[in-house]
Amino acid sequence: MPQTRRSAQPGATLGGMRITCHQGDITVEEVDAVVNAANSTLMGGGGVDGAIHRAAGPELLEECRRWRAARWHDGLPVGEAVATGAGQLPARWVIHTVGPDRHRGQTDPALLASCFTRSLEVAESVGARSVAFPAISAGVYGWDADEVARVAVAATRASTVEVDEVRFVLFGPEVLAAFEQALQE
């Protein structure tokens, strides 16, 4: 799939953090950390979660199992984030976060914002300087792409973490347009 790279302004930065968006495949991004729109089990699934697990290989699943056994026995809570190695991905880490599911009544934008802020905090804690995000909750979890984009961009801009670059890597043109609009606001 051809990738379209865009930002609010070429080379736009906010407090030293460059924020861009483009259409592409998050599993091939050459960044320090990719964020996985995981389900609470951390065991893989569909969409971005399944694609990341398939591309990373079995070592990712094994590390997720260790996290479940050690700390998240009942699953990773919505809005929380945890880092694992990235297996066979070009990234160094995968940061797993569970987005809110509108179909289950999880409609609070603060829960969605927490996915982005906690992921950035975890990225900083492992030393990641560049992070790629998908449109968390904008797929099967039923959130409108425009709302996800506004929340994601606002949460990223409000973050005080020391990360050099945030890339929103989006699957389709409609979601890309939503993020482009949010970056221009």
Side-chain angles (χ1 to χ4, degrees):
M1 167 185 316
Q3 293 189 1
T4 305
R5 293 195 183 276
R6 297 192 180 134
S7 65
Q9 299 170 1
T13 62
L14 180 69
M17 181 190 301
R18 180 178 164 89
I19 304 172
T20 61
C21 66
H22 68 271
Q23 186 175 334
D25 177 353
I26 200 165
T27 67
V28 298
E29 289 296 309
E30 293 185 11
V31 291
D32 294 330
V34 296
V35 176
N36 181 16
N39 63 50
S40 65
T41 69
L42 298 178
M43 298 296 131
V48 170
D49 192 17
I52 287 174
H53 271 268
R54 283 188 300 276
E59 48 273 270
L60 180 61
L61 182 57
E62 286 307 311
E63 198 165 346
C64 287
R65 283 187 177 132
R66 287 193 295 275
W67 265 110
R68 283 293 304 273
R71 172 137 189 223
W72 303 110
H73 305 288
D74 295 326
L76 188 66
V78 172
E80 186 53 72
V82 65
T84 63
Q88 298 170 25
L89 295 173
R92 189 167 175 192
W93 297 283
V94 174
I95 299 170
H96 308 267
T97 190
V98 179
D101 186 341
R102 273 203 180 276
H103 305 299
R104 293 184 177 180
Q106 298 167 340
T107 59
D108 184 356
L111 280 175
L112 182 59
S114 180
C115 294
F116 295 95
T117 57
R118 284 294 299 136
S119 293
L120 286 169
E121 291 166 359
V122 170
E124 181 182 49
S125 75
V126 298
R129 303 302 298 173
S130 56
V131 182
F133 278 98
I136 297 165
S137 291
V140 297
Y141 282 12
W143 283 69
D144 177 73
D146 292 327
E147 185 172 11
V148 170
R150 283 191 303 273
V151 169
V153 169
T156 301
R157 285 180 171 157
S159 176
T160 59
V161 301
E162 292 190 25
V163 171
D164 297 330
E165 179 185 10
V166 170
R167 295 179 197 170
F168 292 107
V169 182
L170 309 158
F171 185 74
E174 297 84 15
V175 180
L176 174 62
F179 273 79
E180 288 173 333
Q181 180 64 40
L183 282 169
Q184 291 176 8
E185 292 176 357

